Amino acid sequence: ASPRPSSGGASQGPAASSAAQASTAPAASPSPSPSPAPVSHSAPDLEAFLPQAVDGTALTSQSVAGTAALGTDATSQSLIASLTKLGKTPANLDIAESHDATGALPMRVFAFRVTGVTGTDLATAIVTSWMANTTDTPTKSAVTIAGHKLTKVSYTTGPADYVYGTATIAFDIETTDDTLVPKLLALLK
């Protein structure tokens, strides 16, 4: 649902940027079996805040800078405008993502960070950017799950996003299985 790193095997959100999708698309190759693009770990310290496993299933993580994830789509442009209002640029944004590479668990977890911006303010900017989605009409609602006050962003099709901010990080749990949300919240650091 946002400009964020693509994960092989996991579903893309309704408005993931074309830049993010291209970043892990198979590389052009004359061979019959092209290799996937290498996984990025530009912010391993941010990846460390994400769960390594859930329900006994190992998760794979990656991270990218905002300059690699943000594109020309409406949600990216909305987030760039919000960053500008906060005195920041896409180069100040780090995004980490964790997912089940086998696809057995229908979820992805994201951590967003901009130095000098609270996670709460960043979470608001991210949700605002998703509401600019012109290909699917999202709705948002306030929910409390496992003691966490979250903003739930729902779409007519696909996974929902559950977003909240801490002092320094905005977290997003994207899933079609709501029973995973409390489990994942308990694992976020």
Side-chain angles (χ1 to χ4, degrees):
S2 77
R4 46 199 177 193
S6 167
S7 55
S11 66
Q12 278 292 321
S17 79
S18 57
Q21 290 173 352
S23 70
T24 58
S29 170
S31 69
S33 300
S35 301
V39 172
S40 171
H41 296 285
S42 65
D45 60 318
L46 187 59
E47 290 179 49
F49 286 95
L50 298 174
Q52 302 299 307
V54 64
D55 282 349
T57 300
L59 302 179
T60 300
S61 65
Q62 64 180 328
S63 55
V64 298
T67 51
L70 299 177
T72 58
D73 57 279
T75 58
S76 289
Q77 292 303 302
S78 177
L79 186 53
I80 290 168
S82 292
L83 289 171
T84 300
K85 288 178 188 174
L86 294 167
K88 303 295 180 176
T89 69
N92 301 120
L93 174 65
D94 289 315
I95 306 168
E97 179 261 351
S98 181
H99 67 279
D100 171 11
T102 70
L105 292 176
M107 52 66 64
R108 297 190 307 165
V109 182
F110 298 89
F112 299 83
R113 177 182 60 202
V114 174
T115 301
V117 175
T118 68
T120 303
D121 288 344
L122 186 53
T124 299
I126 290 164
V127 170
T128 298
S129 75
W130 293 342
M131 301 314 289
N133 183 342
T134 58
T135 60
D136 192 359
T137 308
T139 58
K140 67 179 180 176
S141 58
V143 297
T144 301
I145 300 173
H148 293 273
K149 293 182 181 196
L150 306 128
T151 300
K152 179 181 180 181
V153 179
S154 302
Y155 300 88
T156 54
T157 60
D161 288 280
Y162 297 84
V163 183
Y164 79 100
T166 66
T168 58
I169 298 171
F171 288 103
D172 168 35
I173 297 170
E174 175 189 274
T175 187
T176 56
D177 181 353
D178 293 344
T179 66
L180 289 172
V181 177
K183 293 174 186 180
L184 290 164
L185 286 168
L187 297 171
L188 293 175
K189 299 174 185 166

